[in-house]
Structures are given as C-alpha cells and as structure tokens.
Amino acid sequence: MKSILLALALITPAFAVGFDTEGFGQRLNGWKKNRTAVYDFTDASYRTHMPTITETTDGGIYISTQVDLIAFGDAGAISHIDMTFSRGGTLLSAQLRSTIGRKTIDTGLVRRPEEPVPPVAVEGQPAPKAMPFNAAEELIIELFNRYDAEMRKVSEGKDAEKRDLFSRLGGSKNAKSANLAAGLRHNCNLMLLHVGGGAK
C-alpha cells in the first residue's frame, strides 16, 4: 500500500495552478444566473462574464473573460482579457482586445519579461543595489502601456470617427469619468489575486 501511495505522490504535481472563479465573482458584486457580474467602477457600469479556463499542455491554465462597458443597458465597449499561467501560478503572458463600434484595440500578446542582469560591482566602489523587479507587475504595466498607445492611435483618427468612439464610451453614467483601461485593470488585478497561490 505504501508503495502505491509513493508512486501516486511521484506522478501527482505538488502544486497544480487553479482559479477561484467564485471568489473572483464575489469581488465583482456576485455572479448572476446568466453567469455575469454587474458592478460600478470609476463612475461607470461594467459587466464581467464568468471566465473560461482551459488547461495548457504543460499543466498551466489559460483564462479568458469578457468585460463590457455598459451604455444604457447595452455594451458601449466589448473587451476580452486573456492570461496564461504556468502550472506553478506564474503569469506567462497576457493580451487585451476591445471593440468600440467599428474600432478595434489590440495589444497583441505581451510575454513575461526576463529578469534584468544584476549590476556588476566595480573594484574599490560599493556594490550597486539591484532595483526591485516583479515580472508579473512589469508584464501588466507593459500590457496597459500598449493598450493606452493603441487607444491613442484610434482616437487620433478623423474627427467624426473620434466623436463616435468617445460617444460610445460616454454612454456610461458619467462620460468624463468613464475609463475603460481602469475597468480592465481592475479585472486584471482581481484575476491575478484569484489564481491559486497568487500570480508571480
């Protein structure tokens, strides 16, 4: 019996990554029967759809969810958040896509950055201190830098198209306060918090 248990222990991973879907939903005002959560954030209304979770070939997980910026009951903007995690809960990549009217914003796939090489000490001088580095945080910063850059490209189009884009975003409770990037960042932060063991 002991040999069987030992064999099972050897083939079973010590830590398998998971996602707390219920906990994620609770932080967004709770899941409704239609598998969405509706809530207010930065003076705008959002609807997040229950994430789809798929196991990757190396034992990690791929999480995808849809986030709607609500305008008078309809979606003023439809966005998708995609994240891939290793079997140990490490954030490997992420992507944001939004559709606002006929305009599409896409960050492309943002991959986990390499940790910088520590500074080299020079003889006769104190060793330089390495700056704190958090790969998951750096990935998310790059993700939203790209998102903001793509949003600027879209908004710098023809005046009529620009007005159409922001009128759709302004269909929420308060047009001036509606911040789609902030709403998506809120969802990303919560997703990271509810990955088994916390994303690294």
Side-chain angles (χ1 to χ4, degrees):
M1 184 65 179
K2 286 183 179 179
S3 59
I4 295 174
L5 292 174
L6 179 60
L8 287 173
L10 290 174
I11 63 174
T12 303
F15 175 73
V17 65
F19 184 72
D20 181 7
T21 303
E22 289 305 315
F24 176 57
Q26 286 174 9
R27 295 290 295 271
L28 297 173
N29 204 30
W31 298 120
K32 296 179 177 293
K33 289 183 179 179
N34 64 357
R35 297 167 61 86
T36 67
V38 178
Y39 52 95
D40 290 340
F41 186 76
T42 62
D43 294 328
S45 294
Y46 291 88
R47 175 173 52 237
T48 294
H49 297 245
M50 190 175 288
T52 299
I53 302 164
T54 308
E55 187 174 350
T56 60
T57 54
D58 59 356
I61 55 174
Y62 169 78
I63 306 173
S64 180
T65 192
Q66 178 177 317
V67 180
D68 305 329
L69 174 61
I70 301 172
F72 303 113
D74 297 320
I78 299 173
S79 302
H80 291 88
I81 302 172
D82 303 320
M83 290 183 170
T84 303
F85 296 87
S86 72
R87 67 188 303 167
T90 297
L91 177 63
L92 300 177
S93 64
Q95 183 171 1
L96 295 177
R97 292 167 288 126
S98 293
T99 302
I100 308 166
R102 292 172 295 175
K103 298 292 184 180
T104 300
I105 298 166
D106 190 340
T107 62
L109 190 66
V110 180
R111 299 183 185 278
R112 183 179 182 86
E114 295 289 337
E115 189 164 350
V117 177
V120 178
V122 178
E123 187 176 349
Q125 296 182 8
K129 291 183 178 179
M131 294 295 291
F133 181 77
N134 182 316
E137 184 178 339
E138 293 295 327
L139 191 161
I140 295 298
I141 289 171
E142 174 62 19
L143 181 70
F144 281 92
N145 283 342
R146 288 196 195 182
Y147 189 84
D148 290 340
E150 292 301 312
M151 176 70 88
R152 283 194 298 272
K153 287 180 186 177
V154 170
S155 65
E156 288 168 359
K158 296 178 182 178
D159 288 344
E161 293 176 338
K162 182 177 178 180
R163 286 195 300 272
D164 178 63
L165 173 69
F166 285 98
S167 67
R168 289 176 182 275
L169 285 178
S172 53
K173 290 182 177 179
N174 184 331
K176 293 182 180 179
S177 299
N179 187 334
L180 180 56
L184 296 178
R185 181 66 183 261
H186 178 59
N187 276 267
C188 285
N189 289 343
L190 292 179
M191 289 170 74
L192 291 171
L193 286 172
H194 288 87
V195 171
K200 302 181 283 298

